[in-house]
Amino acid sequence: MVTLAQVAAAAGVSPSTVSYVLSGKRAISGPTRARVEEAIERLGYHPHAGARALAGRRSHIIGLVVPLHTDVYVPIMMEIAISATVTAQRHGYDVLLLTNDEGPDGVRRVARSGLADGVILMDVQLDDPRIAVLRETGIPAALIGLPADSHGLACVDHDFVRAGALCVEHLADLGHREVALIGYAPAVYARHAGYAERTLTGFRQAAAERGLRVLHRPCKGTYESTAGVLAGVLADRPATTGFVVQNEKAIGPLLSLLRNFGRAVPEEVSVVALCPEELAERHSPRLTAVTGPAKDLGRRALELVRSRLDGRTTDEVTLLAPVLTTRESSATALLRHPSRVSRRAGRLG
């Protein structure tokens, strides 16, 4: 590999002069510049990303830190990543996909190496340890997610607090008084994923305001785990007639289990999901769902990074408003006899 020192020797100048020619930070005479440029071309010299960063030049690469957790819904992650990539290409940038298994060390490595001009963090936790690295290194960044402390950060996310509230309000308006939230796997709450925690906050706040009796149960989303969670819900709260599902993997098993158990949807119980439109339309019955376009997250995050690269560093938090679409899985609540429900809950176990 040709080095900057070799270029300098071939052109008969100092290495710093070669750096100034590359960066444009200092005026270099025409003949000297010509000699340096000729040596660069003749030797086939290509400055690596770190050298370009030291010289003040951009790599025109944005790092996108994508989660690899087994409990995430991959189609949404890929839709966000593709949207960010397409938007980047429109602005003359390439996207480097990075996994988040390195945590803060991975972000620090990218920032210090000059490999990327900026980064986008996905799967943001409320107390995300990567944020300290962003503040330490000063690398331009955008977050897809909202941490507990967003001071000095550029963030875009769906308004999950409002999303959780919308589900409760819809069921309350239909007369449901006992509602259960079937959530993500326990590991999601253990790492304080913002999207899960904020949905739960909105769900509980709205339930308190509307006087609903509610409970929340994490779920891994397999048929067996969903069966166990549903049995527990009906054992603890046999009069439950409303279900909110924030776990794409659990939707199919839950509908199947309710059907097998003889609790017709929506005649006897209503189900509201937080999921993409195409997933809501795919199930039978078609799901009443709270949704938000994932592609907007990727596009806006890329634009936030570009704003920071251009020197616009004011705090910016954008929350995309969720939309509830009523379909076939929710209806007016029926008055149910507790003893009848208890007998059915026993058969499920």
Side-chain angles (χ1 to χ4, degrees), residues 9 34 37 44 50 62 66 68 81 84 114 152 159-160 175 181 213 234 274 297 304 308:
E37 291 176 345
I62 302 296
V66 181
L68 283 183
D159 189 344
F160 284 104
L181 170 59
R213 193 166 180 243
L234 296 180
L274 294 100
L297 296 178
L304 285 173
R308 296 240 154 177

Side-chain angles (χ1 to χ4, degrees), residues 182 219 221-231 234 243 249-265 269 344 347-349:
I182 309 300
C219 180
T222 64
Y223 188 90
E224 293 76 12
S225 63
T226 307
V229 167
L230 180 58
L234 296 180
F243 288 88
K249 297 177 182 178
I251 294 172
L254 177 64
L255 292 174
S256 177
L257 286 160
L258 288 171
R259 186 163 47 245
N260 292 343
F261 187 53
R263 301 195 70 174
V265 178
V269 295
R344 287 188 172 184
R347 288 206 300 272
L348 181 63

Side-chain angles (χ1 to χ4, degrees), residues 114-153:
L115 185 62
D117 297 330
V119 295
I120 297 173
L121 302 187
M122 299 174 64
D123 193 32
V124 174
Q125 303 167 19
L126 293 182
D127 53 353
D128 203 304
R130 297 171 297 178
I131 293 173
V133 179
L134 298 182
R135 291 179 168 136
E136 168 196 328
T137 62
I139 186 172
L143 279 61
I144 298 179
L146 186 61
D149 179 9
S150 61
H151 175 70
L153 303 173

